[in-house]
Amino acid sequence: MDDAVDATIQLMQVPPEKITNRTAYTIQGFTMSPQQLVASIQSQYCNELTVEYEVSEVVQRILGSIPSSFDTSESTKDWGFDPKKKTVDDAVKAGLEVLLKS
């Protein structure tokens, strides 16, 4: 989520002459499955972790209709969009840091 906030702030600070798209820019981080999330936590922090969940068919149908990737080349070219979290491990580390602070 912080990558989305950072991207919004960066876009607002770009000099107007660098903006080539006046309607919308695409930003995207990474995607992960529940299995990837659990595996990352297990490998880095708690190999005894077990997780049980049920797949919602409604949610799965909605998610299945969304493209798996988006073209962010204009965002990168015009204002240097570059998300900090590029992997599941990056997100797990950042999330646990937030949790451990509270």
Side-chain angles (χ1 to χ4, degrees):
M1 187 68 167
D2 50 339
D3 278 337
V5 172
D6 288 347
T8 303
I9 292 168
Q10 290 170 3
L11 178 57
M12 292 186 317
Q13 295 173 341
V14 173
E17 63 274 7
K18 293 191 90 172
I19 302 295
T20 61
N21 184 335
R22 296 286 176 194
T23 56
Y25 279 99
T26 302
I27 60 171
Q28 175 180 333
F30 65 94
T31 59
M32 69 177 147
S33 69
Q35 297 89 345
Q36 290 171 310
L37 176 61
V38 171
S40 177
I41 295 169
Q42 287 170 331
S43 69
Q44 295 184 73
Y45 301 99
C46 180
N47 61 358
E48 312 81 39
L49 175 70
T50 60
V51 176
E52 294 180 26
Y53 59 92
E54 292 182 28
V55 175
S56 164
E57 293 303 320
V58 173
V59 172
Q60 194 62 41
R61 221 176 7 261
I62 293 168
L63 293 176
S65 71
I66 299 171
S68 60
S69 66
F70 297 91
D71 180 5
T72 62
S73 60
E74 276 190 334
S75 303
T76 302
K77 178 179 64 77
D78 288 0
W79 48 275
F81 169 68
D82 183 28
K84 293 180 185 94
K85 292 176 191 66
K86 298 183 188 322
T87 67
V88 175
D89 290 346
D90 293 342
V92 166
K93 180 180 177 191
L96 288 175
E97 285 173 359
V98 170
L99 288 173
L100 294 174
K101 285 182 185 176
S102 43

